[in-house]
Amino acid sequence: MRRQQPVPWRHRARYVFDRTLARSTGALLGWLAACCLAIVVPVSTLLVWTDPRAPRSLSERLVAVWRTSAETLRLGGVTGAPLRMLLSVFLGLIALLCVSTLVGVITTGLGDRLEELRRGRSTVLEKGHAVVLGWSDQVFTVVGEMVVTQAGRVRGAVAVLADRDSAAMASDLNVALGVTRGVRVVCRTGAPTDPASLTLLSPAAAHSVLVLPGDDAADAEVVRVLLALGTLLGSEAGPPVVAAVRDERFLTAARLAAGPRGVVLDVESTTARLLVQAARHPGLVAALTDLLDLAGAELHVVHAPDAVGLTFAEISLRYEEACAVGYLAADGRALLTPASSARCGTGDRLIVVARDDRPPLPKQEGTAVDLTVMAVPQDQQRAPSKTLLLGWNRRAPLVLELLTRTAQPGSHLHVVTGSDDGSVTAGPADPTGDGRVTVAYHVGEPTRPDTLRALDLFGYDSVIVLGPDVGPHLARPDDQLLLTLLALRAVEEETGRALPVVAELNDHRGRMLAPLGSEADAVVRGELTSLVMTRIAQNIGMAAVFEELFAARGGALALRPASHYVLPGRAASFTTVVASALRRGECAIGYRAHDACTPRRDVDVRLAPGKAERRVWTSSDEVLVVTPSAAGSPCPGNASDERPARPDVLPEARRSTDDRPARGPAPE
């Protein structure tokens, strides 16, 4: 056998040293003392022996070495009998040990406290603050809007709880929000599903609690958060809880978990409704954003005692800087665009578009309606539409359903999906079953320019572009959508014509990157829902208003040409526009002036202008109105409506429970 090589002495010494250090703290202190003495004593000896004024005798020099070493080690340097010197060394070591221990305890305590503060584990002792639970791309929109609502309070605060590092959350929010107007944004680390972590934010004393939806697989966590809140708050009256889920399969469970104080929104259906409305009314996305955010005028529910007993027509023309759109009854029901003769009851509140929620002020005297410039109301029957849908995801069936149920007879819908989106129905189909709408499916990759050039793109009234769903197979789904937009943009540049495109983005940061033409617009998934959540958290009565507004049961937003209300080229006040809209059964709440040099999506809508404001109206100007739902027409997007069976559109998507994203229509 091969003889073992001898181990070098330095390896043995290193092994003995390491083994000694691993024994205990006492061994570590012993080595520390030995190392100090091994350095201090020889150096002190050199100092004494090299000093020309040093004593001559050996004993006196040794005493000098002792004193130098003692001063270095802070031992006191007592001389005399050996016993006295040993006692001095003992006291010096005890003093050194006590001081070192005290410093160590203080350092460790401060370090632990700073680490606890950095991890965000201290309790937020606030009242009337806003609580945000969870972290997603919408957190910046939600926290930014809640900062605005808290700015009017004496000690405004917004508390955020998520299972992330609190310092990183605070840094991200500071970069995104900038100046917070004196409102403190507090971040805490913890699982929102844990009641013990929820107590850090004192939710029982909060003004409102918002639960953000995470990624596509986090809806079950939203339900757990709502259950944890119910466990912590109990059945007693507490702050309103507003949450959102992405998958409608969790909607019922989330509403049950939220209880009577909670409101749960459906991100998927809200996004689908917005896509359809934006396709029908170009430029409506910017108008909706202006109407929902807290900058400028927005929707409010206000008490107006002076309006009791008045008709809706009288109320609409009564206030100077508020546009009435309906009533909120005492039982919580919202009625948008009521009949002109409908009177305001005793317990009713007004739904208005105004700059704040204070009671509106009556308009100035002398602002009369000019009947001579009002356009003659005409029955504007919507013509059949032709829509192109590029791409497929989980929201595509909702978009298809809304488009087909609200389309006029003779409308056409063309769906183009990639080959990896599943099998596609060949030839036309009629999802409604009544012959009103024809739907045709085509296999083709929307990102390829040759696929788009084979289509009559400019023969469509609107083009809706959908990106794939987020999932492990696709980390950045907006990349494919951006490629499709680039291909569409290339067609626009080749022809010199603009396409009416509406694109759905998953990430708000993609809006700045999207190559949109002058007639194109982008809808960020979840952004509108975030704004709605903040408005409902501010006033729980707004839940019924938004349900009516987006479900189109009581009304819907639309941008109409100003020539529908006043004669082009004539000067008229906004009071005249409001009165003309009332004759058509609509509520005018703002307008957008035409600017040929600026894309329509970048032109702001002037909401709730003064009734006395006069301007020369052109045929290119647009008026933002709330329109009543058509009598006898289906109510698109109503969550309570039972959806008809449609075997040609994703039957497997409604039955599937796995995480595989929804794909294209199944063959017949």
Side-chain angles (χ1 to χ4, degrees):
M1 296 180 60
R2 185 176 180 180
R3 295 185 59 184
Q4 184 177 1
Q5 296 292 333
V7 180
W9 67 269
R10 63 178 183 276
H11 289 177
R12 292 182 178 273
R14 179 63 180 271
Y15 173 72
V16 173
F17 179 75
D18 293 344
R19 189 178 59 182
T20 306
L21 289 181
R23 288 180 180 176
S24 63
T25 305
L28 179 62
L29 292 177
W31 275 110
L32 181 61
C35 292
C36 290
L37 292 175
I39 296 175
V40 171
V41 173
V43 174
S44 300
T45 303
L46 288 176
L47 287 176
V48 172
W49 253 260
T50 58
D51 187 2
R53 295 175 298 177
R56 298 297 180 183
S57 62
L58 178 61
S59 59
E60 291 178 349
R61 287 194 174 192
L62 293 177
V63 171
V65 171
W66 159 249
R67 287 180 176 176
T68 304
S69 301
E71 290 176 358
T72 303
L73 298 176
R74 301 293 191 271
L75 299 178
V78 177
T79 58
L83 180 60
R84 289 175 53 84
M85 298 174 65
L86 290 175
L87 292 176
S88 175
V89 172
F90 178 73
L91 291 178
L93 292 176
I94 293 298
L96 182 60
L97 179 62
C98 292
V99 172
S100 301
T101 304
L102 179 61
V103 172
V105 170
I106 295 175
T107 303
T108 303
L110 290 177
D112 292 344
R113 182 60 177 170
L114 291 176
E115 179 65 19
E116 181 180 357
L117 293 175
R118 192 190 67 83
R119 290 187 289 108
R121 300 300 300 173
S122 60
T123 304
V124 178
L125 300 178
E126 299 285 348
K127 291 184 178 180
H129 58 295
V131 172
V132 178
L133 303 177
W135 189 272
S136 65
D137 291 338
Q138 285 73 47
V139 70
F140 305 105
T141 301
V142 170
V143 175
E145 293 296 309
M146 298 312 296
V147 165
V148 177
T149 63
Q150 291 283 320
R153 301 179 180 272
V154 178
R155 294 183 56 186
V158 179
V160 182
L161 176 67
D163 198 7
R164 299 177 78 247
D165 183 73
S166 61
M169 290 190 291
S171 177
D172 293 343
L173 290 173
N174 289 334
V175 172
L177 303 180
V179 180
T180 57
R181 308 180 186 181
V183 178
R184 295 184 299 109
V185 179
V186 184
C187 298
R188 293 292 179 264
T189 300
T193 57
D194 183 12
S197 298
L198 291 177
T199 57
L200 298 176
L201 271 59
S202 304
H207 175 267
S208 57
V209 179
L210 295 93
V211 183
L212 299 183
D215 54 22
D216 291 346
D219 287 340
E221 185 174 354
V222 173
V223 177
R224 291 175 61 89
V225 173
L226 294 174
L227 291 174
L229 281 172
T231 302
L232 185 62
L233 300 177
S235 58
E236 300 179 358
V241 178
V242 185
V245 294
R246 297 188 183 275
D247 194 336
E248 64 177 355
R249 294 176 299 177
F250 292 89
L251 188 60
T252 302
R255 287 176 175 171
L256 290 174
R261 71 164 67 89
V263 176
V264 182
L265 306 178
D266 185 2
V267 177
E268 304 285 73
S269 62
T270 303
T271 304
R273 294 168 190 167
L274 180 57
L275 283 169
V276 174
Q277 292 191 27
R280 293 273 166 79
H281 304 283
L284 189 62
V285 177
L288 271 172
T289 304
D290 293 339
L291 188 63
L292 293 176
D293 62 19
L294 296 175
E298 59 271 342
L299 282 166
H300 292 286
V301 176
V302 299
H303 291 278
D306 59 334
V308 176
L310 300 179
T311 64
F312 185 71
E314 295 172 335
I315 294 173
S316 299
L317 301 175
R318 179 179 179 81
Y319 303 111
E320 172 64 24
E321 296 183 349
C323 297
V325 296
Y327 301 136
L328 184 65
D331 58 358
R333 292 181 298 108
L335 177 62
L336 299 183
T337 60
S340 298
S341 58
R343 297 186 179 274
C344 181
T346 304
D348 296 341
R349 290 181 289 171
L350 287 183
I351 305 172
V352 299
V353 177
R355 294 188 176 276
D356 49 50
D357 56 356
R358 292 177 295 182
L361 299 176
K363 67 183 180 67
Q364 301 174 0
E365 296 295 334
T367 307
V369 177
D370 189 355
L371 299 177
T372 62
V373 299
M374 292 177 60
V376 178
Q378 299 179 357
D379 187 12
Q380 299 288 339
Q381 184 66 26
R382 215 157 35 93
S385 60
K386 192 174 181 181
T387 307
L388 174 63
L389 180 64
L390 298 176
W392 197 267
N393 55 28
R394 271 209 316 272
R395 291 159 298 287
L398 296 173
V399 174
L400 277 175
E401 185 175 358
L402 290 171
L403 287 171
T404 54
R405 293 177 64 183
T406 58
Q408 295 297 314
S411 297
H412 294 270
L413 178 59
H414 191 187
V415 181
V416 178
T417 61
S419 58
D420 59 342
D421 290 336
S423 55
V424 180
T425 302
D430 179 21
T432 59
D434 55 7
R436 292 191 306 112
V437 181
T438 301
V439 180
Y441 301 101
H442 176 72
V443 176
E445 187 57 50
T447 58
R448 296 178 60 88
D450 54 348
T451 301
L452 299 180
R453 290 189 179 92
L455 302 171
D456 182 18
L457 291 176
F458 296 98
Y460 297 100
D461 299 310
S462 59
V463 179
I464 301 176
V465 184
L466 302 179
D469 290 310
V470 180
H473 65 289
L474 192 61
R476 296 188 300 182
D478 286 345
D479 290 350
Q480 185 171 341
L481 184 137
L482 293 176
L483 292 176
T484 304
L485 292 178
L486 283 172
L488 292 172
R489 186 66 176 151
V491 174
E492 290 181 322
E493 293 179 353
E494 290 175 1
T495 59
R497 301 170 60 185
L499 286 170
V501 178
V502 178
E504 182 205 25
L505 295 170
N506 283 276
D507 192 346
H508 68 281
R509 292 169 294 187
R511 191 198 298 270
M512 301 297 296
L513 305 177
L516 301 174
S518 59
E519 296 297 322
D521 211 338
V523 175
V524 179
R525 179 189 177 201
E527 185 177 58
L528 177 67
T529 307
S530 301
L531 294 175
V532 173
M533 290 176 64
T534 58
R535 298 305 318 283
I536 296 176
Q538 186 184 16
N539 187 342
I540 197 66
M542 295 298 298
V545 177
F546 290 126
E547 177 67 20
E548 290 293 310
L549 188 64
F550 291 111
R553 293 201 300 261
L557 289 172
L559 283 166
R560 308 282 196 206
S563 58
H564 287 188
Y565 308 99
V566 292
L567 299 177
R570 302 287 296 275
S573 64
F574 193 70
T575 299
T576 303
V577 177
V578 172
S580 181
L582 283 173
R583 294 172 61 179
R584 300 167 57 93
E586 300 170 348
C587 300
I589 60 176
Y591 70 89
R592 178 167 55 193
H594 174 67
D595 187 355
C597 300
T598 306
R600 184 180 300 177
R601 65 179 178 274
D602 296 333
V603 180
D604 293 334
V605 174
R606 181 171 170 79
L607 295 173
K611 296 287 178 37
E613 179 180 325
R614 294 179 62 86
R615 65 185 307 271
V616 177
W617 300 88
T618 67
S619 58
S620 300
D621 294 337
E622 294 174 303
V623 177
L624 181 63
V625 296
V626 182
T627 64
S629 59
S633 64
C635 301
N638 188 352
S640 61
D641 293 341
E642 185 177 356
R643 295 178 179 174
R646 294 170 51 197
D648 58 323
V649 179
L650 279 182
E652 72 279 4
R654 296 195 178 97
R655 295 193 301 263
S656 63
T657 57
D658 55 11
D659 294 333
R660 186 175 60 87
R663 291 300 181 186
E668 294 180 345

